[in-house]
Amino acid sequence: MTIQQSSAEEYASLFTGPVSLYGSAQFCELNRHKCPEGIEYILILDAKGKVRFGLAGGLRGGGLRVPFSAPFGCFEEAGVQRVDHWTEAMAAVRDWLGGRRLTITLPPPCYDRSGALARQHLAMLSCGGSQMFADYNYHLPLTLLDEGYLARLDSRTRYNINLSMRKGFCFEAYPDASEEMLRRAYKVIYLNHTGLGYPVHMSEDDVVATSAVIPMDVFIARRDGEDQAAGIIYRPAPGAAQLIYWGDDLGHRPDFPMNFLAYNILRHYSSIPGIEFFDFGPSSTDGIPAEGLCRFKQSLGGVLTPKVTISF
């Protein structure tokens, strides 16, 4: 197979249904300013000139980073490809890199609707790639949000949720949230994260701009005329609702507004046809777990799977 450079326009026309919107040309171009060395769009063609695969990545430090401004990224298939096509393609990519490094963080397995992620993961390892680390990623299949969901949780989590439901919070849901609602939620989340010493990687304007490419929902736990917890959730792929940011007013923690918010967000998505899982996101940095986050996501029934980063 051979490698051919492409443009954002051509790439968008060839890969109209990417694994996630993070891999779309539109998302990459929105974030081009975060990658001053530039973006490369490549096509991988077979001997007859048929496009088999594509990849969009950011140039950094003489290598190619996928993603360069997103939770994960991957090679895209032009139709379902066989394992031998994958291994041939990865061998061609290795030769094309010519000593440069490709670092790629793949989506966790819950996004692998067609097996493409498993095929490329294994093909990269078979062709000389190495796994650098794996992040701890939690998701919840929404079929578990049945009548027995609460009963299956540990007693402390169940108690906290039940207590929060009696504290007078009102749950507000804003699907396909407006700019006004995104900014309203962001204010609560920003104060929470800075108060706890957590980084906030996206500015308020970044979130609003990204909503033009990725559908976003906002959820608020409100009481006594105040927003006491908020969440911003992306819908980046078919069947997926992905937590990006959530947080509560630290002054109201004894009433468990986060438990109230989290439980009602899960209930909301379980009622939406076509949403199959809720991605709580990673609970680690470069493979080192944040134990408190792991405990909280597991306490809500989150299923742990690895989100791998491979160097090639």
Side-chain angles (χ1 to χ4, degrees), residues 11-21 24 76-77 238:
Y11 193 87
S13 70
L14 290 169
F15 300 100
T16 56
V19 171
S20 80
L21 292 172
S24 67
E76 301 290 344
E77 290 182 315

Side-chain angles (χ1 to χ4, degrees), residues 64-188:
L64 196 60
R65 187 69 176 87
V66 181
F68 61 89
S69 181
F72 45 71
C74 61
F75 286 88
E76 301 290 344
E77 290 182 315
V80 177
Q81 302 295 320
R82 301 193 313 253
V83 165
D84 57 312
H85 292 150
W86 273 105
T87 54
E88 290 174 25
M90 294 304 99
V93 169
R94 181 191 59 210
D95 294 342
W96 171 77
L97 287 168
R100 295 189 302 165
R101 172 175 287 190
L102 166 62
T103 304
I104 182 166
T105 298
L106 295 175
C110 51
Y111 289 88
D112 200 4
R113 298 174 67 87
S114 69
L117 299 179
R119 288 191 288 274
Q120 65 185 278
H121 181 184
L122 294 170
M124 290 184 76
L125 295 180
S126 298
C127 294
S130 60
Q131 183 171 303
M132 298 172 65
F133 55 85
D135 278 309
Y136 290 57
N137 202 93
Y138 287 86
H139 77 283
L140 182 68
L142 291 174
T143 53
L144 298 180
L145 258 291
D146 55 18
E147 292 181 359
Y149 171 72
L150 283 176
R152 291 192 297 271
L153 302 182
D154 66 76
S155 59
R156 171 55 61 181
T157 302
R158 188 166 58 249
Y159 172 82
N160 291 345
I161 290 173
N162 286 330
L163 178 63
S164 74
M165 300 292 281
R166 299 194 295 269
K167 291 294 183 176
F169 294 110
C170 175
F171 179 69
E172 300 180 4
Y174 299 94
D176 296 312
S178 65
E179 176 179 342
E180 177 186 1
M181 293 311 307
L182 288 167
R183 294 187 184 279
R184 176 179 159 189
Y186 187 92
K187 287 179 172 60
V188 177

Side-chain angles (χ1 to χ4, degrees), residues 20-84:
S20 80
L21 292 172
Y22 301 128
S24 67
Q26 188 179 10
F27 183 86
C28 290
E29 291 302 307
L30 175 70
N31 291 283
R32 177 178 281 275
H33 64 284
K34 300 177 184 178
C35 199
E37 295 180 45
I39 299 172
E40 281 196 353
Y41 297 95
I42 65 169
L43 306 177
I44 306 173
L45 294 76
D46 65 17
K48 295 181 179 180
K50 180 179 180 179
V51 175
R52 294 285 184 177
F53 306 96
L55 183 70
L59 292 166
R60 286 188 176 168
L64 196 60
R65 187 69 176 87
V66 181
F68 61 89
S69 181
F72 45 71
C74 61
F75 286 88
E76 301 290 344
E77 290 182 315
V80 177
Q81 302 295 320
R82 301 193 313 253
V83 165
D84 57 312

